[in-house]
Amino acid sequence: LVMVFYGSNAKSNPVSMENKVEHQAKNQITYDIHLPSNLGMIYKVRLGLQSLESSTSQLSLHHFKMQNTSTLDTFSLTINKTLPVSLNGDRWIEFPVEWPLKEALSVVTYHLTVFSRNILTDKNVVHMTACIYGTHGDTGDRSLLWSLQNVQQGDDDESFLVIMDAVELGEVDKVVLIISSKKDCKLDIKKLHLKESVKDHPIYVFEVNETFSVYQNKPEIWREIPVSFVIGGDKQRNGRNDLNKEGSQAGNQTEYTIKVYTGDKMGAGTDANVYIILFGNEDKSEVFYLSRSLEHQDPFEKGMVDTFKIKTKKLGSLHSIEIGHDGKGFASGWFLEKVEITDASRNSVHCFNCNR
């Protein structure tokens, strides 16, 4: 058993519970732990198993009690959880610490969606963890391939959902991926989306767009990925307004006409909020929500074409777009046929086929 303590100033190194038994009663073990004084006030504890050897049996945790021996402030919590959650499952749980007269953080369920090409075919030999960092600390290394939800596989890409409980992270700023494998393989990761399960926004988007060559006898691969942009939420809206303000002040904007073709299939339309990002050889645009169609009050219905006009900084020659939606509403799935973009400054038309 290992514990990590998060303080207002720093977090502790993993504290092993080996050889620290001071007193052992029936079903109860007490440890004396000396933490560095520079941690500040402890606000979170992460508790887990050091490793998942095949001989590891499950450990049932019922109750946790912690006392500061100098102030005698005491915190206790009923846990009633078993580690690991399943064979090869998540081996960590974490909880906020509530001291007298101090407000505690809450536990949040996060949805992390991984967009990739070929991970699922090798998921039994690949080990991949993510550690998500925010203003309230980090999640620690969480296994991504032990329990997959909402798995979607196409001819050329795939996505899957990982659900993790963590003490609220606050403003998220980066994720660290750690990848290893029992055989030589290449893993193509496109991007990650992170959001709270009960909220539609904000969605933190991490663009990866990298193929990882993983070798059986080589060290694991570490990759730190900062947040690329945020969909929804004040952070993204403020950023978008500031960009628009700066662009108009500079008088250096380009107007694009965007035609979005929704497929003529059963259930093709969506009521979700659709966004687009344009990529040129000089720059990329901010995130634009396509909400005001020039033709229709209710855009993105079956068999319809919707036209939008946007202004953004000079991007150069367009080469790609990212288009997606937030999954809001009942049956939010959307069949997108294609997107046509006209660059007024260059008098050029770009067609991006999707057909999925």
Side-chain angles (χ1 to χ4, degrees), residues 317-333:
S317 177
L318 290 187
H319 58 72
S320 59
I321 62 171
E322 175 169 329
I323 187 164
H325 64 74
D326 60 2
K328 195 172 184 181
F330 176 71
S332 60

Side-chain angles (χ1 to χ4, degrees), residues 201-218:
H201 298 103
I203 301 171
Y204 294 91
V205 180
F206 304 86
E207 291 181 343
V208 185
N209 294 321
E210 187 174 346
T211 300
F212 298 90
S213 296
V214 192
Y215 299 102
Q216 179 181 352
N217 299 317
K218 293 286 178 69

Side-chain angles (χ1 to χ4, degrees), residues 244-264:
N244 286 343
K245 206 182 296 173
E246 287 167 18
S248 58
Q249 284 169 353
N252 203 17
Q253 291 198 316
T254 301
E255 182 176 270
Y256 294 94
T257 302
I258 301 173
K259 283 185 177 289
V260 180
Y261 293 72
T262 297
D264 195 9

Side-chain angles (χ1 to χ4, degrees), residues 120-348:
L120 296 176
T121 54
D122 290 317
K123 73 183 178 77
N124 293 326
V125 295
V126 171
H127 184 61
M128 187 162 76
T129 65
C131 181
I132 304 160
Y133 290 78
T135 48
H136 298 329
D138 60 73
T139 60
D141 296 340
R142 301 297 188 93
S143 175
L144 296 188
L145 298 174
W146 67 275
S147 176
L148 308 182
Q149 317 275 332
N150 290 15
V151 176
Q152 297 186 21
Q153 283 185 281
D155 292 338
D156 200 32
D157 49 20
E158 63 195 19
S159 67
F160 56 88
L161 173 67
V162 181
I163 299 174
M164 61 177 78
D165 291 332
V167 173
E168 60 182 291
L169 292 165
E171 216 38 66
V172 174
D173 54 25
K174 68 177 180 182
V175 63
V176 173
L177 291 179
I178 306 173
I179 306 167
S180 61
S181 176
K182 294 177 184 172
K183 73 168 190 178
D184 297 353
C185 58
K186 290 184 185 296
L187 304 175
D188 196 337
I189 303 176
K190 293 157 75 173
K191 60 180 178 176
L192 313 173
H193 281 191
L194 178 76
K195 73 178 194 72
E196 293 184 25
S197 63
V198 295
K199 294 181 182 177
D200 293 326
H201 298 103
I203 301 171
Y204 294 91
V205 180
F206 304 86
E207 291 181 343
V208 185
N209 294 321
E210 187 174 346
T211 300
F212 298 90
S213 296
V214 192
Y215 299 102
Q216 179 181 352
N217 299 317
K218 293 286 178 69
E220 56 195 12
I221 295 172
W222 287 62
R223 192 67 84 249
E224 182 176 304
I225 304 139
V227 170
S228 303
F229 58 90
V230 184
I231 303 172
D234 295 336
K235 182 177 175 183
Q236 181 261 333
R237 280 198 291 271
N238 290 342
R240 190 165 69 200
N241 292 341
D242 292 345
L243 281 164
N244 286 343
K245 206 182 296 173
E246 287 167 18
S248 58
Q249 284 169 353
N252 203 17
Q253 291 198 316
T254 301
E255 182 176 270
Y256 294 94
T257 302
I258 301 173
K259 283 185 177 289
V260 180
Y261 293 72
T262 297
D264 195 9
K265 291 173 175 271
M266 181 72 73
T270 186
D271 292 325
N273 298 306
V274 173
Y275 71 91
I276 192 169
I277 307 163
L278 280 53
F279 296 84
N281 61 353
E282 294 176 18
D283 209 339
K284 74 173 184 179
S285 77
E286 56 271 39
V287 181
F288 285 97
Y289 273 92
L290 302 178
S291 54
R292 294 185 180 176
S293 167
L294 299 183
E295 292 91 355
H296 310 106
Q297 192 169 355
D298 191 10
F300 314 119
E301 292 299 309
K302 173 188 169 187
M304 285 192 345
V305 181
D306 293 286
T307 307
F308 306 86
K309 287 189 182 292
I310 64 169
K311 284 185 179 178
T312 186
K313 57 198 168 183
K314 284 190 175 176
L315 306 176
S317 177
L318 290 187
H319 58 72
S320 59
I321 62 171
E322 175 169 329
I323 187 164
H325 64 74
D326 60 2
K328 195 172 184 181
F330 176 71
S332 60
W334 178 40
F335 190 94
L336 172 63
E337 189 177 303
K338 63 179 178 178
V339 179
E340 284 180 0
I341 301 179
T342 303
D343 181 343
S345 67
R346 293 169 176 257
N347 197 25
S348 59

